[in-house]
Amino acid sequence: QVQLVESGGDLVQPGGSLRLSCAASGSIKSILTMGWYRQAPGKERELVAGIAGAGTTNYLDSVKGRFTISRDNAKNTVYLQMNSLKVEDTAVYYCNVNGMLITGRPFSSWGQGTQVTVSS
């Protein structure tokens, strides 16, 4: 009922930048929170950054000052601008969107994942 399409993952050198995008579509009445998670090989999935409807944001300590999350409510899209990328940022990045359907039921949807590889 809600589909998420991610884009922007790539191979980049240390110190480089990438911008991830995640667009939500479907029977959406409202979106409450949007976020980006990542999962590196052999590690658990972790929250990288989140943004609430009012624009309140939170970040993983290791990305503070380097990553910026933003959202375009008109387009139901969330972005993650990643600067000064490090090798340890290498992971599959997933977006997560939580909100309400037109039916009045809540939803929580995940994107398919986009690979970010930081390597020289």
Side-chain angles (χ1 to χ4, degrees), residues 4-9 20-23 33-51 67 69 78-80 82 89-98 109-116:
L4 303 184
V5 178
E6 299 178 18
S7 62
L20 306 183
S21 299
C22 174
T33 62
M34 308 179 89
W36 288 95
Y37 290 72
R38 69 186 181 188
Q39 187 166 20
K43 295 187 177 181
E44 294 188 354
R45 189 173 296 189
E46 61 183 356
L47 175 65
V48 176
I51 184 167
F67 291 10
I69 189 171
V78 61
Y79 305 96
L80 185 67
M82 304 185 293
D89 294 319
T90 296
V92 178
Y93 285 70
Y94 299 90
C95 68
N96 172 249
V97 176
N98 301 286
S109 293
W110 290 88
Q112 79 280 6
T114 186
Q115 178 70 48
V116 172

Coordinates of all heavy atoms in Angstrom, one line a residue, residues 4-9 20-23 33-51 67 69 78-80 82 89-98 109-116:
L4 N 8.3 2.6 -1.3 CA 9.4 3.5 -1.2 C 10.4 3.2 -2.2 O 10.8 2.0 -2.5 CB 10.1 3.3 0.2 CG 9.2 3.5 1.4 CD1 10.0 3.4 2.7 CD2 8.4 4.8 1.4
V5 N 10.9 4.2 -2.9 CA 11.9 4.1 -3.9 C 13.1 4.9 -3.5 O 13.0 6.1 -3.4 CB 11.4 4.5 -5.3 CG1 12.5 4.4 -6.4 CG2 10.2 3.6 -5.7
E6 N 14.2 4.2 -3.3 CA 15.5 4.8 -2.9 C 16.4 5.0 -4.1 O 16.4 4.2 -5.1 CB 16.2 3.9 -1.9 CG 15.4 3.7 -0.6 CD 16.2 2.8 0.3 OE1 17.4 2.7 0.2 OE2 15.6 2.2 1.2
S7 N 17.3 6.0 -4.0 CA 18.3 6.2 -5.0 C 19.4 7.0 -4.4 O 19.3 7.6 -3.4 CB 17.7 7.0 -6.2 OG 17.3 8.2 -5.8
G8 N 20.6 6.9 -5.1 CA 21.7 7.7 -4.7 C 22.9 7.0 -4.2 O 24.0 7.6 -4.1
G9 N 22.8 5.7 -4.0 CA 24.0 5.0 -3.5 C 25.0 4.8 -4.6 O 24.7 4.8 -5.8
L20 N 21.4 10.7 -0.8 CA 20.4 9.6 -0.9 C 19.0 10.3 -1.0 O 18.8 11.2 -0.3 CB 20.5 8.6 0.2 CG 21.9 8.0 0.4 CD1 21.8 7.0 1.6 CD2 22.4 7.3 -0.8
S21 N 18.1 9.6 -1.7 CA 16.7 10.1 -1.8 C 15.8 8.9 -1.6 O 16.2 7.8 -2.0 CB 16.4 10.7 -3.2 OG 17.2 11.8 -3.4
C22 N 14.7 9.1 -1.0 CA 13.7 8.1 -0.8 C 12.3 8.7 -1.0 O 11.9 9.6 -0.2 CB 13.8 7.5 0.6 SG 12.5 6.3 1.0
A23 N 11.6 8.3 -2.0 CA 10.3 8.8 -2.3 C 9.2 7.8 -1.9 O 9.3 6.6 -2.3 CB 10.2 9.2 -3.8
T33 N 7.1 10.2 10.7 CA 8.5 10.3 10.8 C 9.1 9.6 9.6 O 8.6 8.7 9.0 CB 9.0 9.5 12.1 OG1 8.6 8.2 12.0 CG2 8.4 10.2 13.3
M34 N 10.3 10.1 9.2 CA 11.1 9.5 8.1 C 12.5 9.3 8.6 O 13.0 10.1 9.4 CB 11.1 10.4 6.9 CG 9.7 10.8 6.5 SD 9.6 11.9 5.1 CE 9.6 10.7 3.7
G35 N 13.2 8.3 8.2 CA 14.5 8.0 8.7 C 15.4 7.2 7.8 O 14.9 6.6 6.8
W36 N 16.7 7.2 8.0 CA 17.6 6.4 7.3 C 18.3 5.5 8.3 O 18.8 6.0 9.3 CB 18.6 7.3 6.6 CG 18.1 8.0 5.4 CD1 17.6 9.3 5.4 CD2 17.9 7.5 4.1 NE1 17.2 9.6 4.1 CE2 17.4 8.5 3.3 CE3 18.3 6.3 3.5 CZ2 17.1 8.4 1.9 CZ3 18.0 6.2 2.1 CH2 17.4 7.2 1.4
Y37 N 18.4 4.2 7.9 CA 19.1 3.2 8.7 C 20.2 2.7 7.8 O 20.2 2.9 6.6 CB 18.2 2.1 9.1 CG 17.2 2.4 10.1 CD1 16.1 3.2 9.8 CD2 17.3 1.9 11.4 CE1 15.2 3.6 10.8 CE2 16.4 2.2 12.4 CZ 15.3 3.0 12.1 OH 14.4 3.3 13.0
R38 N 21.2 2.0 8.4 CA 22.2 1.3 7.6 C 22.6 0.0 8.2 O 22.5 -0.2 9.4 CB 23.5 2.2 7.4 CG 24.3 2.5 8.7 CD 25.4 3.5 8.4 NE 26.2 3.7 9.5 CZ 27.2 4.6 9.6 NH1 27.4 5.5 8.6 NH2 27.9 4.8 10.7
Q39 N 23.1 -0.9 7.4 CA 23.5 -2.2 7.9 C 24.8 -2.6 7.1 O 24.7 -2.7 5.9 CB 22.4 -3.2 7.7 CG 22.8 -4.5 8.3 CD 21.6 -5.5 8.5 OE1 20.6 -5.3 7.8 NE2 21.7 -6.4 9.4
A40 N 25.9 -2.7 7.9 CA 27.1 -3.1 7.3 C 27.2 -4.7 7.5 O 26.6 -5.2 8.3 CB 28.3 -2.5 8.0
P41 N 28.0 -5.3 6.6 CA 28.2 -6.8 6.7 C 28.6 -7.2 8.2 O 29.5 -6.7 8.8 CB 29.3 -7.1 5.7 CG 29.2 -6.0 4.8 CD 28.8 -4.8 5.5
G42 N 27.8 -8.2 8.7 CA 28.1 -8.7 10.0 C 27.7 -7.8 11.2 O 28.0 -8.2 12.3
K43 N 27.0 -6.7 10.9 CA 26.6 -5.8 11.9 C 25.0 -5.7 11.9 O 24.4 -6.0 10.9 CB 27.2 -4.5 11.8 CG 28.7 -4.5 11.9 CD 29.3 -3.1 11.9 CE 30.8 -3.1 12.2 NZ 31.4 -1.7 12.2
E44 N 24.5 -5.2 13.0 CA 23.1 -5.0 13.1 C 22.7 -3.7 12.4 O 23.5 -2.8 12.3 CB 22.6 -4.9 14.5 CG 22.8 -6.3 15.3 CD 22.2 -6.2 16.6 OE1 21.7 -5.2 17.1 OE2 22.1 -7.3 17.3
R45 N 21.5 -3.6 12.0 CA 21.0 -2.4 11.4 C 20.9 -1.3 12.4 O 20.5 -1.5 13.5 CB 19.6 -2.6 10.7 CG 19.1 -1.4 9.9 CD 17.8 -1.8 9.2 NE 17.9 -2.9 8.2 CZ 17.0 -3.3 7.4 NH1 15.8 -2.7 7.4 NH2 17.2 -4.3 6.6
E46 N 21.4 -0.1 12.1 CA 21.4 1.0 13.0 C 20.7 2.3 12.4 O 20.8 2.5 11.2 CB 22.8 1.4 13.5 CG 23.7 1.8 12.4 CD 25.1 2.0 12.9 OE1 25.4 1.9 14.1 OE2 26.0 2.3 12.0
L47 N 20.1 3.1 13.3 CA 19.5 4.3 12.8 C 20.6 5.3 12.6 O 21.4 5.6 13.5 CB 18.5 4.8 13.9 CG 17.9 6.2 13.6 CD1 17.0 6.2 12.4 CD2 17.1 6.7 14.8
V48 N 20.6 5.9 11.4 CA 21.6 6.9 11.1 C 21.1 8.3 11.3 O 21.7 9.2 11.9 CB 22.0 6.8 9.6 CG1 23.0 7.9 9.2 CG2 22.6 5.4 9.3
A49 N 19.9 8.6 10.9 CA 19.3 9.9 11.1 C 17.8 9.8 10.9 O 17.3 8.9 10.2 CB 19.8 10.9 10.0
G50 N 17.1 10.6 11.7 CA 15.6 10.6 11.6 C 15.1 12.0 11.6 O 15.8 12.9 12.1
I51 N 13.9 12.2 11.1 CA 13.3 13.5 11.0 C 11.8 13.4 11.2 O 11.1 12.6 10.6 CB 13.6 14.3 9.7 CG1 13.1 15.7 9.7 CG2 13.1 13.5 8.5 CD1 13.6 16.6 8.6
F67 N 26.5 14.4 8.2 CA 25.3 14.0 7.5 C 24.2 15.0 7.8 O 24.1 15.4 9.0 CB 24.8 12.6 7.9 CG 25.7 11.5 7.4 CD1 27.0 11.7 6.8 CD2 25.3 10.2 7.5 CE1 27.8 10.7 6.4 CE2 26.1 9.1 7.1 CZ 27.3 9.4 6.5
I69 N 19.9 15.2 7.3 CA 18.6 14.7 6.8 C 17.6 15.8 6.6 O 17.6 16.8 7.4 CB 18.0 13.6 7.8 CG1 16.9 12.9 7.2 CG2 17.7 14.3 9.2 CD1 16.4 11.7 8.1
V78 N 12.3 12.0 1.5 CA 13.3 12.2 2.5 C 14.7 12.1 1.8 O 14.9 11.3 1.0 CB 13.2 11.3 3.7 CG1 13.4 9.8 3.3 CG2 14.2 11.7 4.8
Y79 N 15.6 13.0 2.3 CA 17.0 13.0 1.7 C 18.0 12.8 2.8 O 17.7 13.1 4.0 CB 17.2 14.3 1.0 CG 16.2 14.7 0.0 CD1 15.2 15.6 0.3 CD2 16.3 14.3 -1.3 CE1 14.2 15.9 -0.7 CE2 15.4 14.6 -2.3 CZ 14.4 15.4 -1.9 OH 13.4 15.8 -2.9
L80 N 19.2 12.3 2.4 CA 20.3 12.2 3.4 C 21.5 12.7 2.6 O 22.0 12.0 1.7 CB 20.5 10.8 3.9 CG 21.6 10.6 4.9 CD1 21.1 11.3 6.2 CD2 21.9 9.2 5.2
M82 N 25.3 13.3 2.6 CA 26.4 12.7 3.3 C 27.7 13.3 2.8 O 28.0 13.2 1.7 CB 26.4 11.2 3.1 CG 25.1 10.5 3.5 SD 25.2 8.7 3.4 CE 25.4 8.5 1.7
D89 N 31.6 4.2 6.8 CA 30.2 4.6 6.5 C 29.7 3.6 5.4 O 28.5 3.6 5.0 CB 30.1 6.0 5.9 CG 30.4 7.1 6.9 OD1 29.9 6.9 8.0 OD2 31.1 8.0 6.5
T90 N 30.6 2.7 5.0 CA 30.1 1.7 4.0 C 29.1 0.8 4.5 O 29.2 0.2 5.6 CB 31.4 0.8 3.5 OG1 32.3 1.7 2.9 CG2 30.9 -0.3 2.6
A91 N 28.0 0.7 3.8 CA 26.8 -0.1 4.3 C 25.7 -0.1 3.2 O 25.8 0.7 2.3 CB 26.3 0.4 5.6
V92 N 24.7 -0.9 3.4 CA 23.5 -0.7 2.7 C 22.6 0.2 3.5 O 22.4 0.0 4.7 CB 22.7 -2.1 2.5 CG1 21.4 -1.8 1.8 CG2 23.6 -3.0 1.7
Y93 N 22.1 1.3 2.9 CA 21.3 2.3 3.5 C 19.8 2.0 3.2 O 19.5 1.9 2.0 CB 21.7 3.7 3.1 CG 23.0 4.1 3.8 CD1 24.2 3.5 3.5 CD2 23.0 5.1 4.8 CE1 25.4 3.9 4.1 CE2 24.2 5.5 5.4 CZ 25.4 4.8 5.1 OH 26.5 5.2 5.7
Y94 N 19.0 2.0 4.2 CA 17.5 1.8 4.0 C 16.8 3.0 4.6 O 17.1 3.5 5.6 CB 17.1 0.6 4.8 CG 17.7 -0.7 4.5 CD1 18.9 -1.1 5.1 CD2 17.2 -1.5 3.5 CE1 19.5 -2.3 4.7 CE2 17.7 -2.7 3.2 CZ 18.9 -3.1 3.8 OH 19.5 -4.3 3.4
C95 N 15.7 3.4 3.8 CA 14.9 4.5 4.4 C 13.7 3.8 5.0 O 13.3 2.7 4.7 CB 14.4 5.5 3.3 SG 13.3 4.9 2.1
N96 N 13.1 4.5 6.0 CA 11.9 4.0 6.8 C 11.0 5.2 6.9 O 11.4 6.3 7.2 CB 12.4 3.5 8.1 CG 11.2 3.2 9.0 OD1 11.0 3.8 10.0 ND2 10.5 2.1 8.7
V97 N 9.7 4.9 6.6 CA 8.7 5.9 6.7 C 7.5 5.4 7.5 O 7.1 4.3 7.3 CB 8.2 6.3 5.3 CG1 7.1 7.3 5.4 CG2 9.4 6.9 4.5
N98 N 7.1 6.2 8.4 CA 5.9 5.9 9.3 C 4.8 6.9 9.2 O 5.1 8.1 9.1 CB 6.4 5.8 10.7 CG 7.5 4.8 10.9 OD1 7.3 3.6 10.9 ND2 8.7 5.2 11.1
S109 N 6.9 1.5 6.5 CA 7.4 0.9 5.3 C 8.9 1.1 5.2 O 9.5 2.1 5.7 CB 6.8 1.5 4.1 OG 5.4 1.1 4.0
W110 N 9.6 0.1 4.5 CA 11.0 0.2 4.3 C 11.4 0.2 2.8 O 10.7 -0.4 2.0 CB 11.7 -1.1 4.9 CG 11.6 -1.1 6.4 CD1 10.7 -1.5 7.2 CD2 12.7 -0.6 7.3 NE1 11.0 -1.4 8.6 CE2 12.2 -0.8 8.6 CE3 13.9 0.0 7.1 CZ2 13.0 -0.4 9.7 CZ3 14.7 0.4 8.2 CH2 14.2 0.2 9.5
G111 N 12.4 0.9 2.5 CA 12.9 0.9 1.2 C 13.7 -0.4 0.9 O 13.9 -1.2 1.8
Q112 N 14.1 -0.6 -0.4 CA 14.7 -1.8 -0.8 C 16.2 -1.8 -0.4 O 16.9 -2.8 -0.5 CB 14.6 -2.0 -2.3 CG 15.5 -1.1 -3.2 CD 15.0 0.3 -3.4 OE1 14.1 0.7 -2.8 NE2 15.7 1.0 -4.2
G113 N 16.7 -0.6 -0.1 CA 18.2 -0.5 0.3 C 19.0 0.0 -0.9 O 18.7 -0.4 -2.1
T114 N 20.0 0.8 -0.6 CA 20.9 1.3 -1.6 C 22.3 1.2 -1.1 O 22.6 1.6 0.1 CB 20.5 2.7 -2.0 OG1 21.4 3.1 -3.1 CG2 20.7 3.7 -0.9
Q115 N 23.2 0.7 -1.8 CA 24.6 0.4 -1.4 C 25.4 1.7 -1.5 O 25.5 2.3 -2.5 CB 25.2 -0.7 -2.3 CG 26.7 -1.0 -1.9 CD 26.8 -1.7 -0.6 OE1 26.1 -2.7 -0.3 NE2 27.7 -1.2 0.3
V116 N 26.1 2.0 -0.3 CA 27.0 3.0 -0.3 C 28.4 2.4 0.1 O 28.5 1.7 1.1 CB 26.7 4.1 0.8 CG1 27.8 5.1 1.0 CG2 25.4 4.8 0.4

